[in-house]
Amino acid sequence: MSSEPRTLLIGTSPVDARSVALAALDPAFHVKLNQDALSLLGRSREVLERASTSGERIYGLNTLLGSGRDTAVEEKSVLAYQIQVVRYHNSGVGAYLDRPSSRAVILARLIGFSRGGSGVRPETAQFYAELLNRGVLPAIPREGSVGSSDLTQLAAVAAVAIGEGEAFDADGTLVPGSKALADAGLQPLRLAPGEALALVSANAYSVGAGTLALVRLQHVAEFADVALSLSLETIARYDGGGNLSPFSPAIQAAKAVDGQKDSAAAVRHMLRGGWLEDVRPEVSVQDALSFRAAPQMHGAFRSLVSQLGDALNVELNGRGDNPLVDIESGQMVSGGNFQPMQLALSFEGLRLALAHVGISSERRIAKLYPPQRVIRARHLEAASSDAALSVSGPAGGLAQEELPGLLWYSAAGLLSELKFLAAPATLGAPTLSADVEDHSTLAPLALQQLESSLEALEKLLAIEALTGSYLLLEAGAAQPLGKGTGAVVGRLADVLADRPSAPDLVERARRELRDVVAQELPATGEKEGTT
């Protein structure tokens, strides 16, 4: 087996969001600019250099920024101005991004360079590739961008590139950016005219971290169908439900909601070979809507996930620079392509969708609560009738339950959080820079709230899966489970048997379910990842 690192080759052809995420997630993944990209970068730089000697005013090249857009920068100050721009914008606050997110930011900006709209030199783009390949990890504060270019996050990267700022070493310790470069065998980058603005003016945080959210959303879409399948198995055994007609191909063919047929197919795949596939005369004619209309709910969610993939691909493969280097005309053109409104609204819509998925999951958990009361009453009675009174200790002979009794309440709390996080994030931006920047997308805030929503929904779905698995284990093996649901119950049985604390139980279940999604539903997951 080759020890060569996997490489993402960046040219001028389209790049897809999932490939970016996978490269960011794997620190051993290398990136390389091919000759087409380097040639395009060279032509772009030539346009900028001609413009710099033309005598015309060009935003950020020979003028100040923001409200100072019409104030000239003297030619003798242009190189010093590059340093000032980086230092001025390096103003982010809050916790630092984790390694995958930081790598995603650098990679997204590098891909942006390769589109030819920024005017950076080829060697500058290659320097950013080396930051990734040599493991230089700038300390990037999470907060500071209002979504009209992620200026503060990208300035934290640029500061390290020029030998300033801070970075994390291999042990996760904060070190000066100059030391991080030296340890990686790199000399600080000396910026040429116009490069400082190109380094900081892009949406590489929203786009790069957005690709990581996309992959997670794709997994959660599958995760939701796994939890639903377990609940269907459970209500079939305890409440006469589990009617699979809403998941039939006939129903899916009758209404073309993108993703709906994929969700229904995933559930049928999980239940294949099990008891629910048999025609049962006693089955309820219709289950509650949290079961019966789940393909429509999960399908709409999947559709929005696909739309996020499309929005990310637009940003990755577009030229969001301002001013834009237009190679075809040989001009530098001011514009507003740095405003990622489509992406911000996609982040917004997905939080609503996650809340709706959470509503249905919590309602299914609630319907699984009555059987738990019966089981606990039975356990209490058995403990009392066995030689429980002779056993010392306040618990007598009562064994600790495998499933904590109020996980449903935790699920209800998580649902409340999901509903709160679904409120609009993008409408709150103030006007800035003397009212010149009088609208912002707040895409980073919308993304951060989406990440929080994902965290809450994963826990909620884990509770649903644990509840269903616990009840199925209590029901015994009188009727066979589906091949997929049986595999899940087997894995979660081991987790439940250890009787860990509730937080550890849910976290371990999340890890198991991520593995199940990868193993049990590979075809759908790959299809969702195609953009």
Side-chain angles (χ1 to χ4, degrees), residues 286-411:
Q286 289 192 156
D287 292 324
L289 286 171
S290 55
F291 293 90
R292 182 171 19 123
Q296 289 73 20
M297 167 60 60
H298 293 185
F301 169 46
R302 286 171 178 261
S303 178
L304 288 176
V305 174
S306 294
Q307 289 174 33
L308 173 61
D310 292 339
L312 287 166
N313 287 340
V314 166
E315 296 294 333
L316 283 166
N317 295 294
R319 291 174 292 160
D321 306 275
N322 180 48
L324 172 70
V325 176
D326 182 41
I327 296 175
E328 186 174 342
S329 68
Q331 302 293 316
M332 294 190 68
V333 187
S334 288
N337 281 348
F338 55 84
Q339 201 85 327
M341 200 71 240
Q342 179 189 17
L343 181 62
L345 292 177
S346 188
F347 292 149
E348 293 273 66
L350 275 160
R351 294 200 316 280
L352 275 170
L354 288 170
H356 278 288
V357 173
I359 289 170
S360 292
S361 176
E362 188 274 338
R363 286 296 81 202
R364 292 192 296 268
I365 294 169
K367 290 172 177 60
L368 302 183
Y369 192 65
Q372 295 178 60
R373 284 204 306 263
V374 173
I375 290 167
R376 285 180 170 81
R378 188 172 70 237
H379 289 176
L380 182 60
E381 182 179 357
S384 300
S385 61
D386 274 349
L389 296 177
S390 66
V391 178
S392 61
L398 183 64
Q400 181 181 331
E401 299 286 353
E402 291 184 343
L403 187 74
L406 284 185
L407 278 183
W408 174 27
Y409 281 42
S410 294

Side-chain angles (χ1 to χ4, degrees), residues 121-211:
R121 296 165 297 161
E123 54 264 41
T124 299
Q126 288 180 311
F127 188 92
Y128 268 52
E130 286 306 305
L131 291 178
L132 291 166
N133 295 341
R134 301 192 190 199
V136 178
L137 192 69
I140 305 175
R142 188 169 181 262
E143 295 152 8
S145 172
V146 296
S148 295
S149 289
D150 298 329
L151 299 167
T152 59
Q153 286 92 349
L154 286 170
V157 178
V160 172
I162 64 173
E164 299 184 3
E166 291 183 308
F168 291 104
D169 66 14
D171 297 325
T173 302
L174 271 178
V175 298
S178 57
K179 183 178 187 309
L181 291 182
D183 289 347
L186 293 170
Q187 293 293 321
L189 182 64
R190 299 177 68 87
L191 299 181
E195 286 194 320
L197 180 59
L199 296 189
V200 304
S201 183
N203 296 290
Y205 166 55
S206 300
V207 176
T211 68

Side-chain angles (χ1 to χ4, degrees), residues 446-466:
L447 168 63
Q448 290 161 6
Q449 291 191 350
L450 176 60
E451 292 168 339
S452 296
S453 293
L454 274 165
E455 186 75 8
L457 183 61
E458 280 190 1
K459 293 175 185 174
L460 201 162
L461 291 170
I463 291 172
E464 180 181 359
L466 284 164

